[in-house]
Amino acid sequence: MPSLLVLRAVAANGSNAAAARELGYTRSAVSQRMSALERTAGVALVVRDGRALRLTLAGSRLLEHTERILSELRAAEAGLREASGEIAGTLRVGLPLREGPPLMSSALTSIRKRYPGLLITLASTTDRRGVDELRHGRIDMAMLSRFGVTAGKAGTGIREWVLGRDELKLCVPRGHELAERTSCSMADLAGQNWVLSPTNPLGEVTVGLCQAAGFQPSVVATVDDVATALGLVAVGWGITIAPQLTPAPGDLVRIPLDGVDAYRHSVLMVRAGDEQSPEIATVITAVHQASGRVGYLAPHETRPT
């Protein structure tokens, strides 16, 4: 198993040196493990692609088997903990803390009160980093967002549940020329000043919507998260697109977008097998119950007309 974990770390990090740092090994130890694994397999498992290492087809197939083996081991460990009937230990939960809705924190607060033996810690993550941090055990659970028409999938080794979705809406400051509109098309927004991050998932969707409407957004502020974007919009710096349920300052107006079939899908994730542990199963149940109280649209529900 250790050699398979080395393969997994190399695949995730793209180099022996980075894999060594993650695993706490020396670089030479990682290199030796990889060489031994390739000799045993009888084929190359990684190839150099520029400055990085990437998996060959054989390496990718072996990694898929590795993830399934790890899932089974986690399920076995979870079954042993379930037999004890105790809800205790430490649970590390990753989420984008400033991007709401505050679903996870409210659900976890109630669990902390009910099970004082369970230590829950929150870690700020992003929609891009979260899956990798979960897959490699740096967190035990994540609530992340996906943007677009459908929610997509995280892939091998991850068990996930789509809790619901909320609409993407135009956000403008009060007093803006569009603030009294009951709806807008993307074409109406050409020539406006935009606040967004072109490189995060929501920013990429926003730029794509602008380009599909025939214009390139004029970005006057590049930010790291949607909460910062909404704060700048509220003081009149520009406009942005944000999910309906993300908390926002009072000096801001949300406007429906005509013809835009894109949403934020809120997704709860754990490593496959971990969902059987009593601690994680308890949290999953609590989060599902809380999700019904925050105003999510169901997976196929549309805005009332």
Side-chain angles (χ1 to χ4, degrees):
M1 177 58 69
S3 294
L4 294 179
L5 293 179
V6 169
L7 173 70
R8 189 169 179 258
V10 170
N13 293 283
S15 74
N16 289 338
R21 287 193 294 270
E22 177 181 315
L23 297 171
Y25 293 174
T26 64
R27 181 175 179 174
S28 62
V30 168
S31 180
Q32 289 169 14
R33 293 266 188 175
M34 285 299 301
S35 296
L37 188 58
E38 289 186 319
R39 285 195 300 272
T40 300
V43 293
L45 301 175
V46 295
V47 293
R48 184 159 296 281
D49 185 2
R51 300 180 64 181
L53 295 176
R54 64 173 177 83
L55 295 182
T56 62
L57 178 59
S60 296
R61 288 175 175 170
L62 182 56
L63 182 60
E64 289 177 2
H65 288 295
T66 300
E67 295 293 352
R68 284 194 286 270
I69 292 168
L70 291 172
S71 296
E72 291 298 325
L73 287 174
R74 287 192 293 266
E77 292 171 358
L80 293 175
R81 292 200 300 276
E82 185 179 21
S84 73
E86 185 180 13
I87 307 295
T90 300
L91 186 64
R92 300 160 297 172
V93 180
L95 63 162
L97 290 171
R98 301 188 64 200
E99 300 192 7
L103 166 64
M104 200 70 157
S105 57
S106 63
L108 295 179
T109 298
S110 66
I111 290 173
R112 290 175 71 193
K113 292 177 181 177
R114 197 184 319 163
Y115 303 104
L118 179 61
L119 174 63
I120 299 175
T121 62
L122 300 182
S124 179
T125 189
T126 68
D127 297 321
R128 289 206 189 282
R129 292 199 324 264
V131 173
D132 184 64
E133 291 175 344
L134 178 64
R135 196 185 300 278
H136 292 276
R138 293 188 281 274
I139 54 178
D140 303 304
M141 175 180 287
M143 181 176 167
L144 305 175
S145 299
R146 297 203 183 105
F147 298 90
V149 177
T150 61
K153 291 290 183 181
T156 306
I158 301 294
R159 181 81 165 85
E160 62 181 64
W161 299 263
V162 179
L163 301 172
R165 61 179 184 165
D166 54 328
E167 291 180 276
L168 300 185
K169 289 192 174 180
L170 173 67
C171 299
V172 303
R174 293 193 185 278
H176 189 274
E177 59 183 317
L178 299 173
E180 301 300 321
R181 298 276 294 269
T182 57
S183 66
C184 286
S185 70
M186 288 302 300
D188 294 331
L189 309 180
Q192 295 287 336
N193 292 327
W194 288 83
V195 180
L196 53 86
S197 174
T199 58
N200 71 18
L202 177 58
E204 289 174 351
V205 167
T206 300
V207 171
L209 290 172
C210 294
Q211 291 173 339
F215 68 93
Q216 190 72 23
S218 173
V219 180
V220 296
T222 300
V223 297
D224 292 328
D225 60 83
V226 68
T228 301
L230 292 174
L232 288 173
V233 169
V235 299
W237 200 259
I239 68 172
T240 197
I241 289 176
Q244 169 69 26
L245 296 178
T246 299
D251 293 332
L252 185 145
V253 178
R254 300 182 197 258
I255 304 169
L257 289 163
D258 293 329
V260 172
D261 186 24
Y263 300 85
R264 171 178 62 178
H265 305 266
S266 295
V267 185
L268 181 67
M269 304 179 190
V270 301
R271 288 170 297 177
D274 278 352
E275 73 274 13
Q276 299 181 44
S277 80
E279 297 83 12
I280 289 180
T282 297
V283 173
I284 291 170
T285 299
V287 172
H288 274 287
Q289 292 172 345
S291 67
R293 302 191 294 268
V294 300
Y296 280 127
L297 293 169
H300 301 292
E301 183 180 356
T302 57
R303 181 177 70 233
T305 57

